[in-house]
Amino acid sequence: MTERLYRWTKQRLRQQLAVVQGDQAPSLVLKQANYLNFARRKWLKANIWIAGDRIVYVGNEMPANLTDTEIVDCENKRVVPGYIEHHAHPFQLYNPHSFGKYASSRGTTTLINDNMMFFLHLEKKKALTLIEALDELPTSMYWWARYDAQTELRDEEPLSNSKMKEWLEHPLVVQGGELTSWPKVLNGDDSTLHWMQETTRLRKPIEGHLPGASEKTLAQMALLGVTCDHEAMTGEEAVRRLDLGYTTSLRHSSIRPDLPRLLKEMQELGVDYFERCLMTTDGSPPSFYENGVMDHLIKIALESGVDSIDAYAMASYNAAKYYHLDHKLGMIAPGRIAHINILDDVSNPKPRSVIAKGQWVVKEGMYCCDSMESFPWEKFGVKPFELNWDLTEDDLHFSMPMGIEMTNAVILKPYQVSVEGTTGVLSCDHDESFFVMIDKNGKWHISTMIKGFATHVSGFASSFSNTGDIILIGKNVADMVAAFRALKEQGGGMALVENGEVIGRIELELMGILSNKTMEGVMEDEKNMVKLLRDRGYKYEDPIYSLLFFSATHLPYIRVTQRGIYDVKKKTVLFPAIMR
């Protein structure tokens, strides 16, 4: 049942009461379970009754009526609530359905997701209908409401007031943020401040995005309603947030794998109370999750000397409590949705068995959830990527005096172009390459140079970007055009070309941004492409994030946006996009 204002109808509530009263049988009983009780912060023993998708009883008794009830003996197991990833970006090549399926197989049965891609690329009605359909899966999916597009758009229509209002008010949207445009708010942006006030009025929290923030900045953002932040990069920064009353999310991601160091430094600074701490993988690319999702972060916390109850709470109860969802999630207690992980041992957070909304997702190590095998994306306006225009070598000219220089995977600085770009071919003796961003509809483009991406990438094309526009990078204009045409032929994604031949590709069938493959399938695609790029000189942590963030104006210093090359600090377009 899709979650609206009330999850269970009166009829369902009466049926659940009848189970406790003995008139109806539960669907499942976990017998003699050693379970984690967060109300008492203790491991207790009880029989857990489940009726459909809900826990209806936890205590000493067995049901009087056991007709067709499945009984599982858990005496030698440990039972914990399903894990919660509270800061998911489910569009890093994978999609929300494939990520939800994979995450739940590792015990992460609730995702709180970024709405960016659906907010920007789908009609409002289609997008909201889509998130309701995703909520019918065994994995619980909640969403954020973004306040800004995290870039400079030519058309501001996606940020209309009616769209913002309906997203914020939707029952599946549980927070505002992440607030990447906070400098604008501090400098007088009352439009965003209005939506922040609306979020607070709706009794939904606001998550910040405050890297390197001082005490004064954190204090000001708290005054404006921000209550959580995941951008602490040191233990001292995490403690600073706790000292100022923030709920603090500790990040462990592909470009910021910080959790072991954060926990070590926090404990060295005297932190022994973690009830206002959460954990997140912050939307990492597919292969990062080979070691798990929240189960992997719990294991890191255990290995870092964090008390086991705190380690599990940071990935379940603490998140549910922060989002005002602890009456439904994060606890093994009557009235909660039946998200339950059965462990062989407390020290191993990867579950032996997983129950999501009362259904077996994994049972004794075997995946067994047929209801998550496919999803009808086309029904909700998520279409294949189509290009009805062409590109030739004559369309690309490189005479701009200023280029963009990568100083790490995501930070760009301006630099003075030092190579001659009129020949259409660059030497592999240096790390300067041609760079083009083209409107997905072929109406405008930006042509410049990029320094630091690679030394031997001849032609590369990608439709994977924040806005869905096309990125071309390479040493050879002819191979860049060939990569574009390969991208067009395969229906979006990424294509790598050498000497006119495609040597690597990732097909992203959904809007040119998301793959419809399983997580395991897209992991292999990503690993193959990343290896090819690294073999050709890419040297930073994560090329997938590099592609996503070329246009992201929440990062310094310059960005390549739909409006042109943009100076983030001065909020000005340095070189405008050119109409084709």
Side-chain angles (χ1 to χ4, degrees):
M1 178 193 302
T2 300
E3 180 157 342
R4 300 291 187 158
L5 187 57
Y6 301 107
R7 180 173 180 82
W8 295 283
T9 62
K10 295 181 183 69
Q11 182 182 10
R12 292 289 296 279
L13 291 172
R14 294 295 179 191
Q15 291 170 348
Q16 292 162 0
L17 290 175
V19 172
V20 181
Q21 292 163 358
D23 297 326
Q24 292 188 26
S27 50
L28 175 63
V29 172
L30 304 181
K31 184 179 178 182
Q32 291 296 293
N34 293 294
Y35 80 101
L36 184 50
N37 183 304
F38 286 117
R40 293 182 58 192
R41 288 184 57 83
K42 289 182 180 296
W43 294 92
L44 303 177
K45 181 166 281 193
N47 299 311
I48 302 167
W49 307 2
I50 297 168
D53 63 351
R54 198 178 198 189
I55 301 170
V56 298
Y57 174 87
V58 179
N60 295 324
E61 295 186 27
M62 284 291 286
N65 186 339
L66 289 171
T67 304
D68 297 327
T69 299
E70 181 179 6
I71 300 174
V72 177
D73 189 342
C74 295
E75 187 169 7
N76 296 318
K77 304 289 186 180
R78 294 289 181 133
V79 180
V80 297
Y83 310 140
I84 301 172
E85 167 54 280
H86 83 102
H87 189 93
H89 298 271
F91 44 73
Q92 309 292 43
L93 305 183
Y94 46 83
N95 64 66
H97 176 265
S98 60
F99 185 59
K101 177 182 177 182
Y102 180 79
S104 64
S105 75
R106 304 288 299 236
T108 301
T109 54
T110 298
L111 302 174
I112 302 178
N113 295 322
D114 184 357
N115 75 332
M116 175 72 84
M117 288 301 176
F118 296 156
F119 186 79
L120 288 182
H121 298 287
L122 297 181
E123 297 174 11
K124 175 180 61 181
K125 186 176 180 180
K126 292 282 189 183
L128 296 178
T129 305
L130 171 55
I131 68 171
E132 291 167 8
L134 287 168
D135 187 54
E136 295 174 6
L137 301 171
T139 303
S140 288
M141 289 200 193
Y142 298 91
W143 298 82
W144 332 334
R146 286 273 190 172
Y147 299 122
D148 68 282
Q150 206 170 271
T151 188
E152 291 294 308
L153 300 173
R154 295 179 74 89
D155 176 13
E156 295 293 330
E157 189 278 330
L159 303 174
S160 68
N161 287 343
S162 64
K163 204 170 186 180
M164 283 295 308
K165 184 175 187 295
E166 289 204 40
W167 270 99
L168 272 178
E169 291 179 349
H170 197 282
L172 289 171
V173 172
V174 296
Q175 79 167 8
E178 58 183 305
L179 180 61
T180 53
S181 61
W182 59 271
K184 289 185 178 179
V185 180
L186 288 183
N187 290 324
D189 177 7
D190 277 351
S191 175
T192 301
L193 182 56
H194 166 77
W195 293 116
M196 292 171 68
Q197 289 179 303
E198 279 296 290
T199 307
T200 302
R201 184 185 66 80
L202 292 165
R203 299 182 64 80
K204 298 180 181 184
I206 299 171
E207 184 177 16
H209 184 282
L210 308 168
S214 65
E215 281 186 332
K216 282 189 174 180
T217 296
L218 290 168
Q220 291 177 84
M221 297 315 301
L223 291 176
L224 299 180
V226 176
T227 54
C228 181
D229 184 66
H230 62 283
E231 286 290 330
M233 291 177 277
T234 67
E236 188 275 332
E237 289 185 356
V239 171
R240 183 187 307 163
R241 285 156 173 75
L242 291 173
D243 287 348
L244 293 176
Y246 281 71
T247 293
T248 302
S249 185
L250 308 177
R251 177 173 50 190
H252 191 74
S253 69
S254 59
I255 54 176
R256 298 295 322 185
D258 295 339
L259 187 59
R261 181 169 53 83
L262 287 172
L263 290 170
K264 178 177 182 291
E265 292 177 358
M266 289 171 72
Q267 290 175 96
E268 288 173 349
L269 291 167
V271 175
D272 56 6
Y273 179 82
F274 289 89
E275 289 191 22
R276 294 184 70 87
C277 292
L278 317 178
M279 297 190 291
T280 180
T281 59
D282 198 10
S284 294
S287 61
F288 181 82
Y289 293 105
E290 285 188 307
N291 293 322
V293 187
M294 298 310 293
D295 56 311
H296 180 51
L297 272 56
I298 296 169
K299 190 169 183 63
I300 291 173
L302 293 170
E303 292 171 348
S304 299
V306 174
D307 177 82
S308 63
I309 294 177
D310 282 324
Y312 283 95
M314 286 192 286
S316 56
Y317 177 66
N318 292 3
K321 187 176 179 182
Y322 171 73
Y323 288 100
H324 312 304
L325 294 170
D326 51 313
H327 63 297
K328 290 187 290 191
L329 296 169
M331 293 183 73
I332 295 175
R336 274 64 177 186
I337 299 171
H339 289 315
I340 295 174
N341 292 330
I342 302 174
L343 314 177
D344 286 330
D345 187 82
V346 177
S347 64
N348 182 10
K350 182 182 178 182
R352 179 71 174 168
S353 299
V354 179
I355 298 166
K357 292 182 182 171
Q359 303 177 43
W360 290 107
V361 174
V362 176
K363 190 173 185 181
E364 292 298 319
M366 298 295 293
Y367 188 82
C368 54
C369 186
D370 293 338
S371 61
M372 293 190 73
E373 286 308 304
S374 62
F375 189 79
W377 291 105
E378 64 285 349
K379 180 179 176 181
F380 305 100
V382 179
K383 301 175 182 178
F385 185 76
E386 294 183 357
L387 296 173
N388 57 10
W389 51 277
D390 196 20
L391 185 72
T392 68
E393 293 179 48
D394 292 337
D395 292 322
L396 303 180
H397 304 279
F398 301 90
S399 57
M400 191 180 294
M402 190 199 80
I404 56 175
E405 180 177 4
M406 297 177 66
T407 61
N408 63 28
V410 298
I411 302 300
L412 304 176
K413 289 186 175 181
Y415 88 102
Q416 192 72 29
V417 174
S418 61
V419 297
E420 177 60 53
T422 57
T423 61
V425 179
L426 298 175
S427 168
C428 292
D429 294 335
H430 56 75
D431 64 353
E432 293 180 62
S433 304
F434 299 117
F435 179 98
V436 183
M437 179 180 281
I438 311 179
D439 172 34
K440 53 184 172 288
N441 298 310
K443 295 180 179 179
W444 53 262
H445 76 287
I446 302 157
S447 298
T448 185
M449 296 284 183
I450 185 168
K451 180 176 174 59
F453 182 82
T455 53
H456 289 72
V457 169
S458 187
F460 176 76
S462 173
S463 60
F464 177 78
S465 63
N466 187 25
T467 56
D469 297 312
I470 298 164
I471 294 167
L472 305 178
I473 300 174
K475 295 283 189 174
N476 186 306
V477 171
D479 278 347
M480 291 165 66
V481 171
F484 168 84
R485 290 175 176 166
L487 192 74
K488 179 178 178 178
E489 182 180 351
Q490 73 189 37
M494 301 179 193
L496 183 64
V497 169
E498 269 182 17
N499 300 318
E501 298 293 327
V502 177
I503 61 169
R505 68 173 81 234
I506 298 178
E507 295 182 7
L508 300 177
E509 307 92 328
L510 307 176
M511 302 187 295
I513 300 171
L514 310 175
S515 173
N516 207 16
K517 290 185 178 180
T518 64
M519 277 290 285
E520 291 82 359
V522 77
M523 281 177 187
E524 290 305 309
D525 286 349
E526 179 219 351
K527 286 190 290 185
N528 291 337
M529 181 61 75
V530 169
K531 183 180 186 305
L532 289 169
L533 292 175
R534 289 198 186 284
D535 288 347
R536 286 155 182 77
Y538 181 89
K539 61 186 177 182
Y540 299 116
E541 299 92 340
D542 191 338
I544 306 304
Y545 256 109
S546 296
L547 293 167
L548 185 69
F549 279 168
F550 277 131
S551 63
T553 52
H554 68 292
L555 295 166
Y557 294 85
I558 60 168
R559 298 283 125 184
V560 187
T561 75
Q562 291 184 354
R563 293 176 56 200
I565 296 182
Y566 185 79
D567 186 313
V568 175
K569 186 174 182 180
K570 294 180 180 178
K571 300 179 179 57
T572 56
V573 175
L574 301 178
F575 295 91
I578 298 171
M579 300 306 292
R580 296 181 71 239

